[in-house]
Amino acid sequence: MEVSCSPNLKCVLKCALNISCIEMDIYLILLKNPGLDVETIAKELEKDESTVYKALRNLMDRGLVRREYRILRGGGYKYLYYPADFEEFKKIAREAMEEWLKNFDMMIKNIEKVEKEEFASLAVVR
């Protein structure tokens, strides 16, 4: 089951890495139990398999997860997913955090130049 976000390390990392809560949860599940398939992860998170597959695809694109296939005895194959090595994860997270902080600093400097009315125009009206 997905854990709700609060201002903690998990949420700071997901923000810096530009990943969703479900993607962060999947990485953490794989860190505890490497080599799971989509079906098992979906059951653990109580999510649809297609949702989990999309999240895994994004994590693979970011280098946080890799997949391997296993040939089944009865024929066919199954993909198993593994987290990036934790040292590699820390390196990716550190680089992402440094980039995020640099961008955040630029945003703060830009906010100082913005007028109140211009900033208020960004509000979403429902």
Side-chain angles (χ1 to χ4, degrees):
M1 180 172 285
E2 184 176 344
V3 178
S4 65
C5 288
S6 61
N8 60 29
L9 179 60
K10 175 184 164 187
C11 291
V12 170
L13 282 171
K14 82 174 191 59
C15 185
L17 293 167
N18 193 26
I19 61 175
S20 67
C21 285
I22 189 172
E23 291 165 347
M24 191 70 204
D25 288 339
I26 289 171
Y27 179 80
L28 295 172
I29 286 169
L30 291 174
L31 197 59
K32 289 180 186 177
N33 302 296
L36 297 178
D37 60 14
V38 171
E39 182 181 4
T40 304
I41 296 168
K43 284 180 184 174
E44 178 74 23
L45 292 174
E46 299 177 357
K47 298 288 183 185
D48 187 75
E49 288 181 28
S50 64
T51 301
V52 170
Y53 181 76
K54 288 176 194 172
L56 284 164
R57 171 59 54 200
N58 190 39
L59 290 168
M60 287 188 293
D61 289 346
R62 296 182 189 291
L64 298 172
V65 168
R66 65 181 169 79
R67 78 176 178 189
E68 296 178 2
Y69 72 93
R70 296 288 186 257
I71 297 174
L72 302 174
R73 289 184 181 162
Y77 62 91
K78 178 183 270 196
Y79 286 115
L80 302 178
Y81 295 87
Y82 297 85
D85 175 72
F86 192 60
E87 291 304 313
E88 181 65 17
F89 172 81
K90 290 193 289 188
K91 179 183 171 213
I92 292 169
R94 184 178 309 111
E95 290 169 358
M97 184 62 72
E98 288 169 0
E99 184 66 23
W100 186 82
L101 286 171
K102 185 170 69 172
N103 290 334
F104 182 75
D105 187 50
M106 288 185 343
M107 282 190 334
I108 293 298
K109 288 176 183 173
N110 287 335
I111 286 175
E112 293 169 353
K113 299 175 189 176
V114 173
E115 297 294 324
K116 177 182 174 183
E117 291 76 23
E118 183 182 353
F119 188 69
S121 72
L122 300 174
V124 176
V125 179
R126 295 180 188 198

